[in-house]
């Protein structure tokens, strides 16, 4: 168990709909990252937040948005869903830890499997 | 952008065999991590290894940053080692995005 939690585990929805994926980082971690894993694109970075602020953007579509709340949990909002958005969405976290783990090692949650029908 | 290439793409082993997985990257990196994605889709941290050598049980890893490659060694493989092994690098300052290779799919049969 990495300590990163994601809900829901599975999500099945229809084209055109909007969904929200939720992530809680490991205790003490300030950075949250979102990644998408699809068969054709592999694992791709979407967006990063650090202590509530957007820090970096990757290949995130304009239909997608995210935010990090004061309690450091994050939500990824996907709207106007298309068949091609079906994928496994991972959240990862990193941050200063007690006891010697490096600052920038990322730990991944179990993922949310999104199926768009 | 930085390229991450993993080889071989697929590997089939009998239980008990040893294997070496390779990760080449095209530019200097700040961080390198190895992950195992199990058949249930979970990404499990194996090593954080921007340079040097580390060992954890039957697994060990070596990164030669100056030559831009990393190796993951699996000894005495078990069926539970099956899955996809990913190498991922972080190019810029600490705490930025990981760029993943396409992975090596390992199948271990008994």
């Amino acid at each position: 168990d990495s300590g990163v939690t994601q809900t829901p585990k599975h999500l099945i929805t229809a084209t055109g709909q909007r969904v929200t994926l939720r992530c809680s980082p490991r205790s003490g971690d300030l950075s949250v990252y979102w990644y998408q894993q699809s068969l054709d694109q592999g694992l791709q970075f979407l967006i990063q937040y650090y202590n509530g602020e957007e820090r970096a953007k990757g290949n995130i579509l304009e239909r997608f948005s995210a935010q990090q709340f004061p309690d450091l949990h994050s939500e990824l909002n996907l709207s106007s869903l298309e068949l091609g958005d079906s994928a496994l969405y991972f959240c990862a976290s990193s941050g200063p830890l007690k006891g010697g783990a490096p600052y920038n090692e990322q730990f991944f949650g179990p993922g949310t499997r999104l199926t768009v029908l | 952008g930085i390229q991450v290439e993993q080889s071989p793409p697929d590997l089939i082993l009998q239980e008990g065999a040893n294997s070496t997985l390779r990760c080449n990257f095209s530019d200097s990196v700040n961080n390198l991590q190895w992950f195992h994605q199990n058949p249930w889709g979970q990404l499990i941290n194996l090593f954080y290894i921007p340079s040097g050598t580390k060992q954890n049980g039957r697994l060990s890893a070596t990164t030669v940053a100056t030559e831009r490659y990393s190796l993951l060694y699996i000894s005495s493989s078990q069926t539970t080692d099956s899955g996809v092994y990913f190498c991922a690098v972080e190019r810029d300052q600490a705490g930025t995005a990981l760029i993943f290779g396409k992975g090596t799919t390992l199948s271990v049969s008994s």
Side-chain angles (χ1 to χ4, degrees), chain A residues 35 37 48 55 102 104 106, chain B residues 33 37 45 90 93 95-96:
Chain A
Y35 293 85
Q37 185 177 30
Q48 178 198 0
R55 187 174 186 192
N104 52 342
Q106 293 185 28
Chain B
Q33 291 185 242
Q37 187 168 36
N45 286 46
E90 179 186 71
Q93 62 189 16
T96 57

Side-chain angles (χ1 to χ4, degrees), chain A residues 11-66:
Chain A
L11 201 47
I12 301 174
T13 188
T15 55
Q17 295 299 304
R18 173 188 170 95
V19 297
T20 298
L21 313 183
R22 183 188 169 102
C23 166
S24 292
R26 298 187 318 156
S27 177
D29 283 359
L30 300 179
S31 276
V32 168
Y33 311 77
W34 287 97
Y35 293 85
Q36 179 195 58
Q37 185 177 30
S38 61
L39 282 174
D40 53 344
Q41 298 290 329
L43 264 158
Q44 289 201 97
F45 167 68
L46 295 179
I47 196 164
Q48 178 198 0
Y49 280 81
Y50 179 83
N51 203 20
E53 301 284 329
E54 182 184 303
R55 187 174 186 192
K57 259 186 176 178
N59 298 325
I60 188 166
L61 299 172
E62 285 192 12
R63 301 183 284 109
F64 296 0
S65 65

Side-chain angles (χ1 to χ4, degrees), chain B residues 78-92:
Chain B
Q78 300 175 359
T79 56
T80 51
D81 295 331
S82 296
V84 185
Y85 289 80
F86 289 102
C87 166
V89 302
E90 179 186 71
R91 181 179 179 181
D92 298 317

Side-chain angles (χ1 to χ4, degrees), chain B residues 16-33:
Chain B
N18 302 330
S19 59
T20 301
L21 282 58
R22 187 176 179 102
C23 172
N24 291 332
F25 41 96
S26 61
D27 204 345
S28 59
V29 297
N30 184 60
N31 174 19
L32 187 145
Q33 291 185 242

Side-chain angles (χ1 to χ4, degrees), chain A residues 14-15 81-87 114-117:
Chain A
T15 55
L81 284 167
E82 302 175 0
L83 296 177
D85 298 327
S86 295
L114 173 67
T115 303
V116 182
L117 301 175

Side-chain angles (χ1 to χ4, degrees), chain B residues 90-109:
Chain B
E90 179 186 71
R91 181 179 179 181
D92 298 317
Q93 62 189 16
T96 57
L98 287 173
I99 299 165
F100 283 80
K102 293 188 188 302
T104 292
T105 300
L106 175 64
S107 298
V108 182
S109 57

